[in-house]
Amino acid sequence: MNKVSISFATAKFIFVSYLALALLTTFVVVSQAAKSVNEQQQAFVKLETDTLSKSLRQFLTNRQLILQEQSQHPLIVQSMMQSTVNRLKIAEYFQHLRFLGDKYQLSLLDFEGQFIYATNDLEGFYHHDAPWLPPLLAGDIPSHISVKKIGENYYWVLAQAIDYQGEIEGVITATIAFEDILKKIGAPAGLTIKFMQSSTLIAQLGDINQGITRDIDWPIAGLSLQFIYDDTLINQAMSELIIQLTVLIIIAILIISCLAYYFGRRYLVDPVEKLALATTSLEDGKELSELTSDIKIKELSRLTKSFNRMSRTIYQREQALLTSQKELLQSHKDLKESESQRIQNEKMASLGILVAGVAHEINNPIGFVKSNIDTLQGYWSDILALIDELKSTMTDETLQQQFDELFERHDAQFIIDDINPLIDSTNDGIARVTEIVKGLKTFARNDSPEMVLSDINEGLRATLVMAQNELKYHCEIKTQLGDVPPTLMFPSKINQVLMNLLHNAGQAIKDKGIITIVSDVKDNEIFVQITDTGEGIAPDKLSEIFNPFYTSKPAGQGTGLGLAISHSIMEQHGGRIEVESTVGEGSSFTIYLPISEQS
């Protein structure tokens, strides 16, 4: 079978790619043609826009010329001299005055800018306070055109100075509504004209808001004109052309893509996919079957043969590495557990030394206090006997009365009645301190290298003394300690297990709850059951709680070693630890120790 090189396959792919590029170039050419058509349309729009703009400017210029002619009318000039006499004539004249057949609102102002007459009674049509009025009266400008808003509508204001023999005698104005101008000018179909002043729409002719837009800044009244032509038909034709070209190009690309996919799949993708699958199997450690090297591309054929040789070597080395890794992981796990146990034992040993020292230091002064209280109690009994004897020997009534007054004055009877309860309460406190010291000594007792016969109830009582301060505020402790025989154990390690279980029970109770402790014998085993009414443990977590470093507490509140170490200690004693839990009701941990009197 003839084999081809990868360069030949690449050449085929490049050929197909250039074919696609040719189609893309064709599309660009068509787009440029469309752009040229659009530019011609823009030129046509500009021509039409300029024509309409000139028509609007001519409309205003013609009205301004007529207003200029009227400013020289004899009646208008005469009215400037005798405004009161000629007011009725001016009113009649303005009522019949037409501008090329159209009637507009007119007003007349004298040389001081004072209102003389207006065809509209609204003050906005007087223009006596317009900013352009002073320059007209001063002769700085002969005429003026501006836009003014009167009420809710905008108007063109045409003003002309009345010049008589070189003197400005007054001003005549014509106010033209925008609607009148728009009706006169008109606009072809498909066109909208917007009059803008500082981005504010003043008037609009037409209802088209989208299309080809052209803006013209007008030198008249500081306005700008915005012409909008409807380009819907043009856009529709261009859209149809683009759609047709797009469909043709997509079809061509699909055909080319299919060809490219076929050749690429046959000569490149299939062999590479087989290599990828083989690599994945090799990564997963699966046993490989050799890949066929009967591939048309010579480079891939050589690569497959090399891969087969390499995969065999890698598989053998990987199996050996996996075996070593399993052994290393197990050793690491054992080492971590051993290290954790050692650290915990060292902590417990240090704690035992500290507690034993504290217990010894407390025990000595407590002995002194106990001895002194006993002596004080004897002295007080003698004093009471003396007082009774004094009372019985007093025969003189005066002396007896003085004695009773002194007794009452110093409240001696209350003191006599209160001293004995105080001494009894002190003795009770000393007894409690003595019991706590005893518990501390028991809990802090160092283990010998060998197991010793010990009473687990004694260790349990000592542990409760140690945990009392943590539990007494929110837990009620109930104990049912049975008659259990001594058995061989490491007392401090068993105490550590009991302390861990009590500590966890207390933390499981968030508000108020009960911790019940039961010890007894069953089937030649001593068991201690610690039950709490806390939150409980989810069933899917029960299998994980004895794993090292597992904890359900928030970060920083637990190491996850307590139960793991407890489990290890119970296995060391040949016992076990069991747990039952219901979410929302609580948990019960039970430790079992075999009864043994000989090591």
Side-chain angles (χ1 to χ4, degrees), residues 544-596:
E544 303 179 20
I545 60 175
F546 296 112
N547 293 337
F549 307 106
Y550 171 80
T551 179
S552 60
K553 300 181 183 69
Q557 296 187 14
T559 62
L561 293 174
L563 288 177
I565 291 175
S566 299
H567 187 271
S568 176
I569 290 174
M570 295 310 301
E571 288 184 341
Q572 183 182 5
H573 284 76
R576 65 188 187 280
I577 181 170
E578 297 179 354
V579 59
E580 295 179 357
S581 184
T582 303
V583 176
E585 297 182 6
S587 304
S588 178
F589 286 83
T590 306
I591 63 171
Y592 293 88
L593 278 174
I595 298 175
S596 177

Side-chain angles (χ1 to χ4, degrees), residues 48 52-53 82 107 116 118 200 208 211 229 251 363 386 399 416 437 445 464 484 593:
E48 291 293 325
L52 288 172
S53 176
Q82 301 174 345
S107 69
I116 296 177
T200 301
I208 298 171
Y229 282 87
I251 293 174
N363 202 34
L386 175 61
L399 184 61
I416 292 171
V437 170
R445 181 171 54 197
L464 280 173
V484 299
L593 278 174

Side-chain angles (χ1 to χ4, degrees), residues 85-122:
V85 176
N86 295 307
R87 182 182 294 273
L88 292 177
K89 294 181 180 180
I90 289 295
E92 182 179 0
Y93 181 74
F94 278 1
Q95 288 296 329
H96 296 88
L97 182 60
R98 296 291 185 273
F99 287 70
L100 300 178
D102 296 321
K103 183 179 180 180
Y104 303 124
Q105 302 295 336
L106 304 174
S107 69
L108 195 62
L109 303 171
D110 63 14
F111 69 95
E112 293 181 346
Q114 298 296 322
F115 167 72
I116 296 177
Y117 178 77
T119 58
N120 194 306
D121 293 335
L122 289 178

Side-chain angles (χ1 to χ4, degrees), residues 295-419:
I295 300 175
K296 195 169 185 179
I297 298 178
K298 292 184 290 186
E299 289 84 351
L300 289 178
S301 178
R302 290 198 301 270
L303 178 61
T304 302
K305 292 177 181 178
S306 299
F307 178 82
N308 287 334
R309 292 193 299 269
M310 179 190 67
S311 61
R312 286 192 295 269
T313 303
I314 290 177
Y315 180 77
Q316 294 170 358
R317 293 178 180 177
E318 188 179 48
Q319 294 303 311
L321 182 61
L322 288 174
T323 302
S324 299
Q325 184 185 26
K326 290 179 181 178
E327 295 175 354
L328 182 60
L329 288 175
Q330 185 61 40
S331 299
H332 180 65
K333 180 180 178 182
D334 296 341
L335 181 61
K336 286 179 67 177
E337 293 181 3
S338 175
E339 179 70 12
S340 300
Q341 181 66 47
R342 184 183 65 79
I343 293 173
Q344 191 69 15
N345 289 340
E346 290 178 357
K347 288 182 180 179
M348 293 299 295
S350 300
L351 179 61
I353 295 172
L354 177 62
V355 169
V358 171
H360 178 72
E361 293 298 325
I362 293 175
N363 202 34
N364 288 336
I366 286 297
F368 298 147
V369 174
K370 175 64 176 173
S371 176
N372 292 340
I373 289 296
D374 292 341
T375 303
L376 178 62
Q377 193 168 17
Y379 290 164
W380 178 243
S381 298
D382 294 339
I383 292 174
L384 289 178
L386 175 61
I387 293 172
D388 292 339
E389 188 173 346
L390 284 174
K391 286 183 178 180
S392 62
T393 57
M394 289 182 184
T395 57
D396 187 350
E397 291 184 0
T398 303
L399 184 61
Q400 178 70 34
Q401 185 177 1
Q402 290 177 351
F403 183 82
D404 290 341
E405 288 177 356
L406 287 172
F407 221 70
E408 182 176 356
R409 184 187 305 167
H410 296 286
D411 204 6
Q413 188 59 47
F414 172 77
I415 295 172
I416 292 171
D417 294 338
D418 195 47
I419 285 180

Side-chain angles (χ1 to χ4, degrees), residues 100-330:
L100 300 178
D102 296 321
K103 183 179 180 180
Y104 303 124
Q105 302 295 336
L106 304 174
S107 69
L108 195 62
L109 303 171
D110 63 14
F111 69 95
E112 293 181 346
Q114 298 296 322
F115 167 72
I116 296 177
Y117 178 77
T119 58
N120 194 306
D121 293 335
L122 289 178
E123 188 175 349
F125 291 95
Y126 295 173
H127 309 303
H128 60 284
D129 56 354
W132 42 260
L133 184 58
L136 278 174
L137 294 175
D140 295 337
I141 55 175
S143 62
H144 174 76
I145 299 177
S146 64
V147 174
K148 182 178 181 181
K149 184 178 182 182
I150 303 176
E152 298 299 324
N153 300 317
Y154 285 88
Y155 295 84
W156 284 100
V157 178
L158 280 65
Q160 180 67 44
I162 301 174
D163 188 346
Y164 179 70
Q165 295 182 357
E167 296 291 335
I168 304 300
E169 301 295 339
V171 175
I172 184 173
T173 68
T175 305
I176 307 173
F178 263 86
E179 290 77 3
D180 296 339
I181 296 178
L182 298 180
K183 291 177 182 178
K184 285 293 182 179
I185 294 177
L191 173 65
T192 292
I193 304 175
K194 291 183 178 181
F195 294 84
M196 310 293 292
Q197 186 178 49
S198 300
S199 302
T200 301
L201 178 63
I202 294 177
Q204 176 173 328
L205 177 62
D207 56 0
I208 298 171
N209 293 312
Q210 292 183 349
I212 300 175
T213 302
R214 175 171 166 76
D215 295 323
I216 296 179
D217 291 329
W218 240 26
I220 301 176
L223 295 183
S224 63
L225 302 182
Q226 187 179 82
F227 295 85
I228 304 176
Y229 282 87
D230 187 4
D231 58 350
T232 303
L233 295 177
I234 298 174
N235 291 339
Q236 184 177 357
M238 291 299 298
S239 298
E240 292 177 356
L241 176 61
I242 292 173
I243 291 173
Q244 292 174 359
L245 291 174
T246 302
V247 170
L248 291 176
I249 291 173
I250 290 175
I251 293 174
I253 291 175
L254 287 175
I255 295 173
I256 294 171
S257 299
C258 290
L259 292 174
Y261 175 81
Y262 171 76
F263 288 108
R265 183 80 185 180
R266 180 174 179 179
Y267 296 119
L268 292 174
V269 177
D270 285 345
V272 172
E273 279 189 350
K274 291 178 180 178
L275 281 173
L277 291 174
T279 304
T280 303
S281 299
L282 184 63
E283 181 182 2
D284 296 338
K286 298 178 182 178
E287 188 173 357
L288 294 175
S289 57
E290 292 190 359
L291 297 175
T292 177
S293 58
D294 188 16
I295 300 175
K296 195 169 185 179
I297 298 178
K298 292 184 290 186
E299 289 84 351
L300 289 178
S301 178
R302 290 198 301 270
L303 178 61
T304 302
K305 292 177 181 178
S306 299
F307 178 82
N308 287 334
R309 292 193 299 269
M310 179 190 67
S311 61
R312 286 192 295 269
T313 303
I314 290 177
Y315 180 77
Q316 294 170 358
R317 293 178 180 177
E318 188 179 48
Q319 294 303 311
L321 182 61
L322 288 174
T323 302
S324 299
Q325 184 185 26
K326 290 179 181 178
E327 295 175 354
L328 182 60
L329 288 175
Q330 185 61 40

Side-chain angles (χ1 to χ4, degrees), residues 499-526:
M499 177 62 78
N500 287 338
L501 296 182
L502 286 172
H503 179 73
N504 288 347
Q507 288 189 333
I509 298 173
K510 299 302 182 183
D511 189 11
K512 295 287 186 181
I514 300 173
I515 297 178
T516 304
I517 305 170
V518 178
S519 66
D520 211 336
V521 177
K522 180 181 179 181
D523 297 334
N524 200 35
E525 287 182 317
I526 299 173

